[in-house]
Amino acid sequence: MFSKINLLLVIALLTVSNVLAQTGSIKGRVYNEINNESIPFANIVLDSTQIGTTSDEDGRFEINNIKPGIYNLTCSFVGFKTSYLYEITIGSAAVTDINIALTEESALLDQVVIQTNRIEKSEESPLSKQTIGATEIYRNPGANRDISRVIQILPGVATTVSFRNDIIVRGGAPNENRFYLDGIEIPNINHFATQGSSGGPVGLINVNFIRDVDFYSGAFPANRGNTLSSVMDFKQITGNREKFGGTFMLGSSDVGLTLNGPTGKNSSFILSARRSYLQFLFQALKLPFLPTYNDFQYKHFFEFGDKDQLTIVGLGAIDNFELNTEVNDGETDQETIERNNYILGNLPVNEQWNYTIGANWKHFSKNSFQNVVISRNYLNNSAIKYKNNIEDPDNLLYDYNSEEIENKLRIESTKRMNGWNWNIGAGFEHVKYTNSTFNEKVINDQVTTIDFDSEFTMQKYALFTQVSKSILSERLSLSFGIRTDANSYSDEMSNFLDQLSPRFSASYQFTEKFSASFNLGRYFQLPAYTVMGYRDNDENLVNKDNGITYIQSDHIVAGVQYNPTRYSKISVEGFYKKYDNYPFLTNDSISLANLGGDFGVIGNEPAVSNSKGRSYGVEFFLQQKLSSSVYGLISYTFVRSEFQDKNGEYVASSWDNRHILNVTAGKKLKKNWEIGAKFRFLGGSPYTPYDIEESSKKVNWDVTQRGINDWDQLNTQRNGNSHGLDFRVDKRWFFEKWALNAYLDIQNLYGFKTEIQPFLDVVRDDNGNPIEDPNNPDSYLTREIENTAGTILPSIGLMIEF
């Protein structure tokens, strides 16, 4: 019903031919990033136009009567590095507010400084870092405004072929990524998260809040810890300080409202809520599961004079996952019925809710600024499964309830003087974890009942510092950082010296267009709480007794970058990652690094810290930012990811996709039309085949209701290669006090289907009961059900700004 309404609205709007021309405005403030002092008389220019101005004595500027659209902006002032802001959207509904932070030049005025007309990179992370702006997120074909899907176009990033948003970076598992929102750590950015990992089918972050995102696939800053594969640092906009406004969003799967406005002379807020109606769509499509999600996001920004700022953020989600037990009513296709029955027999009913709330206080001094960050994360996750979905205590197969609570404090100071940039800080966390598990499962060919309640608390500590300097007329940039983490969980993890995490970066600018960079680093990550909190039926903390400890990964990255213009770049990077002390699950004799790309919980079982792995590869990246009417990028990654099996032999990990290719291109047309397309190719990931003999045993199947993997053949089979074409068209209308954006987004335009690991099911009679194997009365007859991924997914959406 909603999709039909959307379509009718779009058709009606397309008939509008006479809309009065409207104009927009941009204003803001130019200031010194290190001490917040205003910079008067700075030059501000909208590129490719004759429009510009200078900042006044208070550093403020305003430009009016601008034709609505997307612009690049340049800000310059003597003694400071020129700042380039890409793809700023100027509309008619509200004034675009942009604060521009300039960095002082480290070289003396009489020295010859290399002018690097390039897409900016930092001293601390001169490579393996990409920045994505809000406009790039909005228009990305196939992403449907979901930041997790946008990230997938970048070099080194893969995903699973299912409809999940798992982020796999340079061959690392999905649980190796960390996320920050205005400097406040958030545990996950997706609904229906996999506990012990990350990912999920739908993004949680409202992109109406986002100014830009810094994505690190290596060379992590020392103040961003507990990660092995990537860091995503979200920077949010601030609310409108002059008037109340907002955005109403109606999509194919959800409806949302964002409001923002002033709350005083020096404060503003932005607030959003979103509700899905995906369950109605899934029911109409006759899918066996019905997901429902809700999310909430909030930011409040205060300024107390020129020296103090306070940012308060909140993020929350309520997710429910139900079974559509009536999915086969009226269905006549036997293969569809069998596939639905298999899924219904395996998926639990899941409820999950979580929130993050935090505050970031920033104080500016003469040559430095300090941050004090406090936050609280909470996750409540429950799941239950009955045999044949008959809710009877005798049919209970799985009953899981868990809580994760983190209270965090981080203090850091950043100082810049005479070209030196120095960051130093410390962190403290108090953690509480609870887990109640009942599970009937097969372990070592034996049906075992796992039944325990677990709870533990611990404290986590961190110390970090990083210093950077550009020398040789700013040709050579050097950065050295060191971090250490410890906690009170066990003696194995309480010594700071055991987790010393040094990192070093260097970058040399040969010419204004060509540079080479290098990074070497050692990083540590705490095992998932599901691993640390596992107990046996005697209530012993099994993995604490097993000496579980921090996971270690050593990175070596080197690359070159060429910038034909300041809107474009070409880069090549090679990387090598070596893993040690990864949790190895002793029941199935498999590294935890191979898990995390499915729903549920991972790591809630016995483990030891002796798994080793490695990933290596090379990345190519070509990017053309929007400078006139065309934009695009091409990224290609060759990656190998391997972990040791139970015999100590390196075999392909579950994330060994080998070849990843993304090609994205778009064009702005006249009258505010825009079109874009994205082609993606993903090499087939490995999987472990089933042990048919063990799976077919009655004693096993009656408990598992699914195939048992043959871990002696770990990842010896591969899914098929996956590819697809996504297409998007946008149309914008600008009115006097409001604006409208309508879009059509089609994923997998030509409907390619990828063959993935088939389901293993038992042969059933007309009543749905398993049929006994006539040659073995202790087993059932089994059969494989074809399993494919990929379908055409059209989405129509409307966004009204007021």
Side-chain angles (χ1 to χ4, degrees), residues 649-670:
E649 300 292 332
Y650 279 99
V651 299
S653 81
S654 299
W655 325 114
D656 185 53
N657 295 101
R658 299 194 178 181
H659 300 284
I660 308 166
L661 173 66
N662 289 281
V663 181
T664 302
K667 182 174 177 59
K668 288 175 58 181
L669 304 173
K670 295 180 179 180

Side-chain angles (χ1 to χ4, degrees), residues 86-106:
Y86 296 98
E87 302 192 34
I88 299 170
T89 299
I90 298 177
S92 59
V95 175
T96 301
D97 198 341
I98 297 292
N99 290 326
I100 306 173
L102 297 185
T103 303
E104 290 187 75
E105 296 275 13
S106 60

